[in-house]
Amino acid sequence: MASASLQFFAFVLALFGVFGDIIATLLPNWKVNADVGSNIITVTTQMQGLWMDCTWYSTGMFRCTLKYSVLSLPVYIQAARTTMVLSCILSAFGICITTVGMKCTKLGGDTDSKSHACFAGGVCFILAGIFGLVATSWYTREIISDFLDQTIPESRKHEPGGAVYTGFISAGLLLIAGLIFCTSCFKKQQEAWIYPSKQHHFPSTERESNGAYNLKDYV
């Protein structure tokens, strides 16, 4: 019962991680730069994401432009795109597989099959979390290095946006969920190895006892 509850808790964490992963991938605020200008009334907020760049004006206008060209993008943005998409795909696979393998569901067949499915789903979550951490860490490193570079003007310097923090949190949730699923499967296997089946058959002793009773009958 405790293992089933722990698996359900890990599944909820994985769901939050998947939704956060998808949201972080689509959000345009990976980089944020607030340009006040000469007047506070003309303040603009420039945001850059993996797929589009957006500008928000203090007057309420909002304008976005899509990044159509892939080859013109910096390497870290291309890598972030690829790793975040892989993270979303793997986490979605993990949700489907662990749904079959959890103890609280009636899918997946016998206990061994469900245990293997849980382990496979946990591996998918761990890989998805690693890909998410690679994307957010590399992107954050580039933002910080540009911010500390004295040769770059202040107007071109950015700070990490909400999408980066969402990606970090989602990757952590996926890693925790994957570790819980994998360790729960390992515990089941260890219990099977340490505590084997208690039904022992001793055919030789049974035969001897039966033979003794038969001799008594004849005497």
Side-chain angles (χ1 to χ4, degrees):
M1 184 65 183
S3 178
S5 302
L6 193 63
Q7 286 182 355
F8 183 76
F9 174 71
F11 186 78
V12 173
L13 291 181
L15 279 179
F16 282 111
V18 172
F19 290 140
D21 222 12
I22 296 172
I23 291 171
T25 304
L26 298 177
L27 280 177
N29 58 339
W30 283 65
K31 285 182 181 180
V32 178
N33 179 21
D35 185 12
V36 178
S38 59
N39 193 349
I40 191 65
I41 301 176
T42 61
V43 62
T44 59
T45 301
Q46 297 178 355
M47 297 176 290
Q48 296 183 16
L50 301 180
W51 313 97
M52 65 181 70
D53 297 337
C54 295
T55 304
W56 179 79
Y57 300 93
S58 58
T59 56
M61 296 181 60
F62 199 78
R63 185 183 65 184
C64 293
T65 56
L66 294 174
K67 297 178 179 179
Y68 292 104
S69 178
V70 178
L71 298 178
S72 63
L73 296 174
V75 178
Y76 71 95
I77 295 181
Q78 297 180 18
R81 278 185 173 187
T82 305
T83 51
M84 288 302 292
V85 170
L86 287 175
S87 178
C88 293
I89 293 173
L90 285 172
S91 58
F93 274 130
I95 289 292
C96 297
I97 296 172
T98 52
T99 302
V100 175
M102 284 196 304
K103 295 178 67 176
C104 58
T105 61
K106 296 182 179 181
L107 304 173
D110 57 356
T111 305
D112 291 336
S113 300
K114 292 175 77 68
S115 179
H116 294 157
C118 260
F119 182 78
V123 171
C124 288
F125 289 142
I126 291 174
L127 291 176
I130 291 173
F131 280 130
L133 283 179
V134 168
T136 51
S137 300
W138 193 353
Y139 205 98
T140 305
R141 177 185 174 277
E142 293 295 329
I143 294 174
I144 294 174
S145 62
D146 290 343
F147 190 84
L148 298 178
D149 192 353
Q150 300 297 328
T151 60
I152 298 177
E154 293 293 331
S155 59
R156 294 181 56 189
K157 292 183 178 181
H158 298 79
E159 295 183 1
V164 175
Y165 299 115
T166 305
F168 270 120
I169 296 172
S170 302
L173 293 177
L174 290 172
L175 284 174
I176 294 172
L179 290 174
I180 291 175
F181 276 115
C182 290
T183 52
S184 65
C185 296
F186 275 129
K187 286 181 180 179
K188 292 177 185 178
Q189 293 179 357
Q190 287 178 356
E191 288 176 358
W193 293 337
I194 297 173
Y195 305 104
S197 179
K198 296 182 180 180
Q199 296 178 354
H200 300 286
H201 299 284
F202 301 98
S204 60
T205 56
E206 290 180 358
R207 290 174 184 173
E208 291 177 359
S209 60
N210 290 333
Y213 284 118
N214 291 333
L215 290 176
K216 289 179 181 179
D217 294 337
Y218 285 108
V219 173

PDB file of all heavy atoms in Angstrom, residues 172-202:
ATOM      1  N   GLY A 172      13.566  19.359 -12.203  1.00  0.00           N
ATOM      2  CA  GLY A 172      13.729  18.774 -10.872  1.00  0.00           C
ATOM      3  C   GLY A 172      12.593  17.834 -10.507  1.00  0.00           C
ATOM      4  O   GLY A 172      12.822  16.754  -9.946  1.00  0.00           O
ATOM      5  N   LEU A 173      11.360  18.222 -10.838  1.00  0.00           N
ATOM      6  CA  LEU A 173      10.216  17.350 -10.550  1.00  0.00           C
ATOM      7  C   LEU A 173      10.296  16.046 -11.338  1.00  0.00           C
ATOM      8  O   LEU A 173      10.004  14.961 -10.805  1.00  0.00           O
ATOM      9  CB  LEU A 173       8.915  18.081 -10.885  1.00  0.00           C
ATOM     10  CG  LEU A 173       8.553  19.291 -10.012  1.00  0.00           C
ATOM     11  CD1 LEU A 173       7.286  19.951 -10.515  1.00  0.00           C
ATOM     12  CD2 LEU A 173       8.380  18.872  -8.560  1.00  0.00           C
ATOM     13  N   LEU A 174      10.713  16.124 -12.595  1.00  0.00           N
ATOM     14  CA  LEU A 174      10.839  14.907 -13.407  1.00  0.00           C
ATOM     15  C   LEU A 174      11.932  13.994 -12.870  1.00  0.00           C
ATOM     16  O   LEU A 174      11.780  12.768 -12.848  1.00  0.00           O
ATOM     17  CB  LEU A 174      11.127  15.287 -14.861  1.00  0.00           C
ATOM     18  CG  LEU A 174       9.971  15.937 -15.619  1.00  0.00           C
ATOM     19  CD1 LEU A 174      10.435  16.436 -16.983  1.00  0.00           C
ATOM     20  CD2 LEU A 174       8.826  14.952 -15.801  1.00  0.00           C
ATOM     21  N   LEU A 175      13.038  14.567 -12.435  1.00  0.00           N
ATOM     22  CA  LEU A 175      14.113  13.745 -11.866  1.00  0.00           C
ATOM     23  C   LEU A 175      13.660  13.045 -10.590  1.00  0.00           C
ATOM     24  O   LEU A 175      13.932  11.849 -10.390  1.00  0.00           O
ATOM     25  CB  LEU A 175      15.336  14.622 -11.583  1.00  0.00           C
ATOM     26  CG  LEU A 175      16.173  15.040 -12.791  1.00  0.00           C
ATOM     27  CD1 LEU A 175      17.259  16.026 -12.363  1.00  0.00           C
ATOM     28  CD2 LEU A 175      16.807  13.821 -13.447  1.00  0.00           C
ATOM     29  N   ILE A 176      12.969  13.772  -9.720  1.00  0.00           N
ATOM     30  CA  ILE A 176      12.488  13.166  -8.471  1.00  0.00           C
ATOM     31  C   ILE A 176      11.495  12.049  -8.764  1.00  0.00           C
ATOM     32  O   ILE A 176      11.556  10.959  -8.187  1.00  0.00           O
ATOM     33  CB  ILE A 176      11.858  14.247  -7.575  1.00  0.00           C
ATOM     34  CG1 ILE A 176      12.921  15.247  -7.122  1.00  0.00           C
ATOM     35  CG2 ILE A 176      11.186  13.614  -6.360  1.00  0.00           C
ATOM     36  CD1 ILE A 176      12.363  16.440  -6.391  1.00  0.00           C
ATOM     37  N   ALA A 177      10.566  12.304  -9.700  1.00  0.00           N
ATOM     38  CA  ALA A 177       9.582  11.276 -10.049  1.00  0.00           C
ATOM     39  C   ALA A 177      10.249  10.047 -10.648  1.00  0.00           C
ATOM     40  O   ALA A 177       9.895   8.903 -10.315  1.00  0.00           O
ATOM     41  CB  ALA A 177       8.563  11.854 -11.034  1.00  0.00           C
ATOM     42  N   GLY A 178      11.225  10.246 -11.523  1.00  0.00           N
ATOM     43  CA  GLY A 178      11.921   9.114 -12.115  1.00  0.00           C
ATOM     44  C   GLY A 178      12.687   8.298 -11.100  1.00  0.00           C
ATOM     45  O   GLY A 178      12.679   7.058 -11.141  1.00  0.00           O
ATOM     46  N   LEU A 179      13.340   8.958 -10.156  1.00  0.00           N
ATOM     47  CA  LEU A 179      14.074   8.233  -9.112  1.00  0.00           C
ATOM     48  C   LEU A 179      13.127   7.431  -8.223  1.00  0.00           C
ATOM     49  O   LEU A 179      13.441   6.299  -7.833  1.00  0.00           O
ATOM     50  CB  LEU A 179      14.884   9.222  -8.270  1.00  0.00           C
ATOM     51  CG  LEU A 179      16.085   9.869  -8.959  1.00  0.00           C
ATOM     52  CD1 LEU A 179      16.704  10.934  -8.068  1.00  0.00           C
ATOM     53  CD2 LEU A 179      17.129   8.807  -9.314  1.00  0.00           C
ATOM     54  N   ILE A 180      11.974   7.996  -7.910  1.00  0.00           N
ATOM     55  CA  ILE A 180      11.013   7.270  -7.068  1.00  0.00           C
ATOM     56  C   ILE A 180      10.517   6.018  -7.785  1.00  0.00           C
ATOM     57  O   ILE A 180      10.450   4.927  -7.203  1.00  0.00           O
ATOM     58  CB  ILE A 180       9.838   8.182  -6.684  1.00  0.00           C
ATOM     59  CG1 ILE A 180      10.309   9.279  -5.726  1.00  0.00           C
ATOM     60  CG2 ILE A 180       8.718   7.373  -6.036  1.00  0.00           C
ATOM     61  CD1 ILE A 180       9.243  10.299  -5.396  1.00  0.00           C
ATOM     62  N   PHE A 181      10.181   6.135  -9.068  1.00  0.00           N
ATOM     63  CA  PHE A 181       9.700   4.978  -9.817  1.00  0.00           C
ATOM     64  C   PHE A 181      10.786   3.901  -9.931  1.00  0.00           C
ATOM     65  O   PHE A 181      10.505   2.704  -9.762  1.00  0.00           O
ATOM     66  CB  PHE A 181       9.236   5.399 -11.208  1.00  0.00           C
ATOM     67  CG  PHE A 181       7.822   5.903 -11.250  1.00  0.00           C
ATOM     68  CD1 PHE A 181       7.548   7.219 -11.582  1.00  0.00           C
ATOM     69  CD2 PHE A 181       6.757   5.068 -10.955  1.00  0.00           C
ATOM     70  CE1 PHE A 181       6.254   7.686 -11.620  1.00  0.00           C
ATOM     71  CE2 PHE A 181       5.453   5.520 -10.986  1.00  0.00           C
ATOM     72  CZ  PHE A 181       5.204   6.839 -11.320  1.00  0.00           C
ATOM     73  N   CYS A 182      12.008   4.302 -10.209  1.00  0.00           N
ATOM     74  CA  CYS A 182      13.088   3.321 -10.366  1.00  0.00           C
ATOM     75  C   CYS A 182      13.413   2.630  -9.045  1.00  0.00           C
ATOM     76  O   CYS A 182      13.601   1.410  -8.999  1.00  0.00           O
ATOM     77  CB  CYS A 182      14.334   4.000 -10.931  1.00  0.00           C
ATOM     78  SG  CYS A 182      14.176   4.507 -12.654  1.00  0.00           S
ATOM     79  N   THR A 183      13.470   3.389  -7.954  1.00  0.00           N
ATOM     80  CA  THR A 183      13.790   2.783  -6.658  1.00  0.00           C
ATOM     81  C   THR A 183      12.673   1.870  -6.171  1.00  0.00           C
ATOM     82  O   THR A 183      12.946   0.856  -5.522  1.00  0.00           O
ATOM     83  CB  THR A 183      14.057   3.876  -5.616  1.00  0.00           C
ATOM     84  OG1 THR A 183      12.965   4.816  -5.614  1.00  0.00           O
ATOM     85  CG2 THR A 183      15.346   4.602  -5.922  1.00  0.00           C
ATOM     86  N   SER A 184      11.435   2.204  -6.480  1.00  0.00           N
ATOM     87  CA  SER A 184      10.342   1.318  -6.075  1.00  0.00           C
ATOM     88  C   SER A 184      10.439  -0.023  -6.790  1.00  0.00           C
ATOM     89  O   SER A 184      10.152  -1.070  -6.208  1.00  0.00           O
ATOM     90  CB  SER A 184       8.993   1.971  -6.369  1.00  0.00           C
ATOM     91  OG  SER A 184       8.811   2.149  -7.764  1.00  0.00           O
ATOM     92  N   CYS A 185      10.867  -0.019  -8.039  1.00  0.00           N
ATOM     93  CA  CYS A 185      11.045  -1.290  -8.764  1.00  0.00           C
ATOM     94  C   CYS A 185      12.230  -2.068  -8.218  1.00  0.00           C
ATOM     95  O   CYS A 185      12.187  -3.288  -8.110  1.00  0.00           O
ATOM     96  CB  CYS A 185      11.245  -1.005 -10.244  1.00  0.00           C
ATOM     97  SG  CYS A 185       9.818  -0.240 -11.037  1.00  0.00           S
ATOM     98  N   PHE A 186      13.319  -1.377  -7.852  1.00  0.00           N
ATOM     99  CA  PHE A 186      14.471  -2.051  -7.284  1.00  0.00           C
ATOM    100  C   PHE A 186      14.134  -2.709  -5.948  1.00  0.00           C
ATOM    101  O   PHE A 186      14.607  -3.795  -5.632  1.00  0.00           O
ATOM    102  CB  PHE A 186      15.626  -1.068  -7.088  1.00  0.00           C
ATOM    103  CG  PHE A 186      16.450  -0.876  -8.318  1.00  0.00           C
ATOM    104  CD1 PHE A 186      16.733   0.390  -8.793  1.00  0.00           C
ATOM    105  CD2 PHE A 186      16.944  -1.968  -9.018  1.00  0.00           C
ATOM    106  CE1 PHE A 186      17.491   0.569  -9.933  1.00  0.00           C
ATOM    107  CE2 PHE A 186      17.701  -1.800 -10.161  1.00  0.00           C
ATOM    108  CZ  PHE A 186      17.975  -0.532 -10.617  1.00  0.00           C
ATOM    109  N   LYS A 187      13.295  -2.054  -5.147  1.00  0.00           N
ATOM    110  CA  LYS A 187      12.901  -2.632  -3.861  1.00  0.00           C
ATOM    111  C   LYS A 187      12.131  -3.929  -4.061  1.00  0.00           C
ATOM    112  O   LYS A 187      12.316  -4.901  -3.334  1.00  0.00           O
ATOM    113  CB  LYS A 187      12.047  -1.624  -3.078  1.00  0.00           C
ATOM    114  CG  LYS A 187      12.854  -0.484  -2.488  1.00  0.00           C
ATOM    115  CD  LYS A 187      11.962   0.465  -1.714  1.00  0.00           C
ATOM    116  CE  LYS A 187      12.764   1.606  -1.109  1.00  0.00           C
ATOM    117  NZ  LYS A 187      11.903   2.549  -0.360  1.00  0.00           N
ATOM    118  N   LYS A 188      11.266  -3.960  -5.072  1.00  0.00           N
ATOM    119  CA  LYS A 188      10.518  -5.182  -5.336  1.00  0.00           C
ATOM    120  C   LYS A 188      11.447  -6.322  -5.730  1.00  0.00           C
ATOM    121  O   LYS A 188      11.301  -7.454  -5.279  1.00  0.00           O
ATOM    122  CB  LYS A 188       9.507  -4.934  -6.456  1.00  0.00           C
ATOM    123  CG  LYS A 188       8.379  -3.989  -6.077  1.00  0.00           C
ATOM    124  CD  LYS A 188       7.482  -3.768  -7.273  1.00  0.00           C
ATOM    125  CE  LYS A 188       6.403  -2.730  -6.956  1.00  0.00           C
ATOM    126  NZ  LYS A 188       5.555  -2.464  -8.132  1.00  0.00           N
ATOM    127  N   GLN A 189      12.446  -6.026  -6.584  1.00  0.00           N
ATOM    128  CA  GLN A 189      13.367  -7.061  -7.016  1.00  0.00           C
ATOM    129  C   GLN A 189      14.228  -7.550  -5.859  1.00  0.00           C
ATOM    130  O   GLN A 189      14.501  -8.735  -5.721  1.00  0.00           O
ATOM    131  CB  GLN A 189      14.234  -6.526  -8.160  1.00  0.00           C
ATOM    132  CG  GLN A 189      13.448  -6.256  -9.428  1.00  0.00           C
ATOM    133  CD  GLN A 189      14.320  -5.696 -10.533  1.00  0.00           C
ATOM    134  OE1 GLN A 189      15.507  -5.450 -10.329  1.00  0.00           O
ATOM    135  NE2 GLN A 189      13.732  -5.499 -11.700  1.00  0.00           N
ATOM    136  N   GLN A 190      14.683  -6.632  -5.012  1.00  0.00           N
ATOM    137  CA  GLN A 190      15.508  -7.024  -3.866  1.00  0.00           C
ATOM    138  C   GLN A 190      14.713  -7.899  -2.897  1.00  0.00           C
ATOM    139  O   GLN A 190      15.239  -8.858  -2.343  1.00  0.00           O
ATOM    140  CB  GLN A 190      16.031  -5.780  -3.157  1.00  0.00           C
ATOM    141  CG  GLN A 190      17.116  -5.066  -3.932  1.00  0.00           C
ATOM    142  CD  GLN A 190      17.578  -3.820  -3.217  1.00  0.00           C
ATOM    143  OE1 GLN A 190      17.037  -3.442  -2.174  1.00  0.00           O
ATOM    144  NE2 GLN A 190      18.578  -3.158  -3.766  1.00  0.00           N
ATOM    145  N   GLU A 191      13.449  -7.561  -2.679  1.00  0.00           N
ATOM    146  CA  GLU A 191      12.636  -8.391  -1.799  1.00  0.00           C
ATOM    147  C   GLU A 191      12.465  -9.792  -2.368  1.00  0.00           C
ATOM    148  O   GLU A 191      12.452 -10.787  -1.647  1.00  0.00           O
ATOM    149  CB  GLU A 191      11.270  -7.742  -1.592  1.00  0.00           C
ATOM    150  CG  GLU A 191      11.315  -6.498  -0.716  1.00  0.00           C
ATOM    151  CD  GLU A 191       9.956  -5.841  -0.620  1.00  0.00           C
ATOM    152  OE1 GLU A 191       9.024  -6.359  -1.280  1.00  0.00           O
ATOM    153  OE2 GLU A 191       9.831  -4.835   0.084  1.00  0.00           O
ATOM    154  N   ALA A 192      12.352  -9.888  -3.702  1.00  0.00           N
ATOM    155  CA  ALA A 192      12.208 -11.199  -4.322  1.00  0.00           C
ATOM    156  C   ALA A 192      13.489 -12.018  -4.200  1.00  0.00           C
ATOM    157  O   ALA A 192      13.464 -13.247  -4.093  1.00  0.00           O
ATOM    158  CB  ALA A 192      11.829 -11.038  -5.791  1.00  0.00           C
ATOM    159  N   TRP A 193      14.651 -11.331  -4.215  1.00  0.00           N
ATOM    160  CA  TRP A 193      15.914 -12.051  -4.093  1.00  0.00           C
ATOM    161  C   TRP A 193      16.222 -12.420  -2.641  1.00  0.00           C
ATOM    162  O   TRP A 193      16.698 -13.504  -2.351  1.00  0.00           O
ATOM    163  CB  TRP A 193      17.047 -11.193  -4.648  1.00  0.00           C
ATOM    164  CG  TRP A 193      16.957 -10.967  -6.114  1.00  0.00           C
ATOM    165  CD1 TRP A 193      16.302 -11.742  -7.033  1.00  0.00           C
ATOM    166  CD2 TRP A 193      17.506  -9.869  -6.845  1.00  0.00           C
ATOM    167  NE1 TRP A 193      16.413 -11.208  -8.280  1.00  0.00           N
ATOM    168  CE2 TRP A 193      17.149 -10.051  -8.211  1.00  0.00           C
ATOM    169  CE3 TRP A 193      18.280  -8.764  -6.502  1.00  0.00           C
ATOM    170  CZ2 TRP A 193      17.548  -9.166  -9.204  1.00  0.00           C
ATOM    171  CZ3 TRP A 193      18.674  -7.886  -7.498  1.00  0.00           C
ATOM    172  CH2 TRP A 193      18.301  -8.090  -8.837  1.00  0.00           C
ATOM    173  N   ILE A 194      15.964 -11.489  -1.723  1.00  0.00           N
ATOM    174  CA  ILE A 194      16.324 -11.725  -0.322  1.00  0.00           C
ATOM    175  C   ILE A 194      15.337 -12.664   0.344  1.00  0.00           C
ATOM    176  O   ILE A 194      15.701 -13.535   1.126  1.00  0.00           O
ATOM    177  CB  ILE A 194      16.390 -10.381   0.440  1.00  0.00           C
ATOM    178  CG1 ILE A 194      17.504  -9.508  -0.167  1.00  0.00           C
ATOM    179  CG2 ILE A 194      16.649 -10.608   1.912  1.00  0.00           C
ATOM    180  CD1 ILE A 194      17.537  -8.109   0.400  1.00  0.00           C
ATOM    181  N   TYR A 195      14.059 -12.491   0.037  1.00  0.00           N
ATOM    182  CA  TYR A 195      13.028 -13.326   0.644  1.00  0.00           C
ATOM    183  C   TYR A 195      12.394 -14.211  -0.428  1.00  0.00           C
ATOM    184  O   TYR A 195      11.364 -13.843  -0.997  1.00  0.00           O
ATOM    185  CB  TYR A 195      11.950 -12.464   1.310  1.00  0.00           C
ATOM    186  CG  TYR A 195      12.500 -11.505   2.318  1.00  0.00           C
ATOM    187  CD1 TYR A 195      12.617 -10.148   2.025  1.00  0.00           C
ATOM    188  CD2 TYR A 195      12.925 -11.958   3.563  1.00  0.00           C
ATOM    189  CE1 TYR A 195      13.136  -9.264   2.949  1.00  0.00           C
ATOM    190  CE2 TYR A 195      13.433 -11.078   4.496  1.00  0.00           C
ATOM    191  CZ  TYR A 195      13.539  -9.738   4.182  1.00  0.00           C
ATOM    192  OH  TYR A 195      14.045  -8.865   5.089  1.00  0.00           O
ATOM    193  N   PRO A 196      13.008 -15.326  -0.753  1.00  0.00           N
ATOM    194  CA  PRO A 196      12.419 -16.204  -1.771  1.00  0.00           C
ATOM    195  C   PRO A 196      11.156 -16.864  -1.250  1.00  0.00           C
ATOM    196  O   PRO A 196      10.733 -16.668  -0.105  1.00  0.00           O
ATOM    197  CB  PRO A 196      13.525 -17.227  -2.034  1.00  0.00           C
ATOM    198  CG  PRO A 196      14.314 -17.240  -0.778  1.00  0.00           C
ATOM    199  CD  PRO A 196      14.256 -15.845  -0.212  1.00  0.00           C
ATOM    200  N   SER A 197      10.581 -17.657  -2.114  1.00  0.00           N
ATOM    201  CA  SER A 197       9.328 -18.325  -1.742  1.00  0.00           C
ATOM    202  C   SER A 197       9.536 -19.241  -0.551  1.00  0.00           C
ATOM    203  O   SER A 197      10.517 -19.988  -0.472  1.00  0.00           O
ATOM    204  CB  SER A 197       8.818 -19.138  -2.942  1.00  0.00           C
ATOM    205  OG  SER A 197       7.631 -19.792  -2.601  1.00  0.00           O
ATOM    206  N   LYS A 198       8.621 -19.181   0.402  1.00  0.00           N
ATOM    207  CA  LYS A 198       8.750 -19.944   1.639  1.00  0.00           C
ATOM    208  C   LYS A 198       8.226 -21.370   1.526  1.00  0.00           C
ATOM    209  O   LYS A 198       8.259 -22.113   2.498  1.00  0.00           O
ATOM    210  CB  LYS A 198       8.005 -19.221   2.770  1.00  0.00           C
ATOM    211  CG  LYS A 198       8.605 -17.869   3.106  1.00  0.00           C
ATOM    212  CD  LYS A 198       7.869 -17.227   4.252  1.00  0.00           C
ATOM    213  CE  LYS A 198       8.450 -15.875   4.612  1.00  0.00           C
ATOM    214  NZ  LYS A 198       7.735 -15.234   5.734  1.00  0.00           N
ATOM    215  N   GLN A 199       7.714 -21.766   0.400  1.00  0.00           N
ATOM    216  CA  GLN A 199       7.177 -23.106   0.243  1.00  0.00           C
ATOM    217  C   GLN A 199       8.302 -24.048  -0.155  1.00  0.00           C
ATOM    218  O   GLN A 199       8.794 -24.004  -1.287  1.00  0.00           O
ATOM    219  CB  GLN A 199       6.082 -23.122  -0.836  1.00  0.00           C
ATOM    220  CG  GLN A 199       4.875 -22.281  -0.463  1.00  0.00           C
ATOM    221  CD  GLN A 199       3.840 -22.295  -1.563  1.00  0.00           C
ATOM    222  OE1 GLN A 199       4.084 -22.850  -2.638  1.00  0.00           O
ATOM    223  NE2 GLN A 199       2.698 -21.695  -1.288  1.00  0.00           N
ATOM    224  N   HIS A 200       8.782 -24.852   0.783  1.00  0.00           N
ATOM    225  CA  HIS A 200       9.855 -25.802   0.541  1.00  0.00           C
ATOM    226  C   HIS A 200       9.270 -27.201   0.549  1.00  0.00           C
ATOM    227  O   HIS A 200       8.484 -27.559   1.430  1.00  0.00           O
ATOM    228  CB  HIS A 200      10.942 -25.705   1.627  1.00  0.00           C
ATOM    229  CG  HIS A 200      11.575 -24.335   1.685  1.00  0.00           C
ATOM    230  ND1 HIS A 200      12.461 -23.892   0.732  1.00  0.00           N
ATOM    231  CD2 HIS A 200      11.417 -23.325   2.576  1.00  0.00           C
ATOM    232  CE1 HIS A 200      12.842 -22.656   1.042  1.00  0.00           C
ATOM    233  NE2 HIS A 200      12.217 -22.301   2.152  1.00  0.00           N
ATOM    234  N   HIS A 201       9.684 -27.977  -0.416  1.00  0.00           N
ATOM    235  CA  HIS A 201       9.201 -29.346  -0.516  1.00  0.00           C
ATOM    236  C   HIS A 201      10.362 -30.285  -0.233  1.00  0.00           C
ATOM    237  O   HIS A 201      11.474 -30.113  -0.758  1.00  0.00           O
ATOM    238  CB  HIS A 201       8.644 -29.625  -1.924  1.00  0.00           C
ATOM    239  CG  HIS A 201       7.486 -28.742  -2.275  1.00  0.00           C
ATOM    240  ND1 HIS A 201       6.225 -28.940  -1.774  1.00  0.00           N
ATOM    241  CD2 HIS A 201       7.418 -27.628  -3.064  1.00  0.00           C
ATOM    242  CE1 HIS A 201       5.413 -28.010  -2.240  1.00  0.00           C
ATOM    243  NE2 HIS A 201       6.130 -27.206  -3.028  1.00  0.00           N
ATOM    244  N   PHE A 202      10.125 -31.254   0.599  1.00  0.00           N
ATOM    245  CA  PHE A 202      11.138 -32.247   0.943  1.00  0.00           C
ATOM    246  C   PHE A 202      10.611 -33.613   0.541  1.00  0.00           C
ATOM    247  O   PHE A 202      10.011 -34.326   1.357  1.00  0.00           O
ATOM    248  CB  PHE A 202      11.442 -32.228   2.454  1.00  0.00           C
ATOM    249  CG  PHE A 202      11.930 -30.867   2.915  1.00  0.00           C
ATOM    250  CD1 PHE A 202      11.036 -29.971   3.510  1.00  0.00           C
ATOM    251  CD2 PHE A 202      13.237 -30.477   2.733  1.00  0.00           C
ATOM    252  CE1 PHE A 202      11.463 -28.736   3.924  1.00  0.00           C
ATOM    253  CE2 PHE A 202      13.669 -29.229   3.156  1.00  0.00           C
ATOM    254  CZ  PHE A 202      12.787 -28.357   3.751  1.00  0.00           C
TER     255      PHE A 202
END
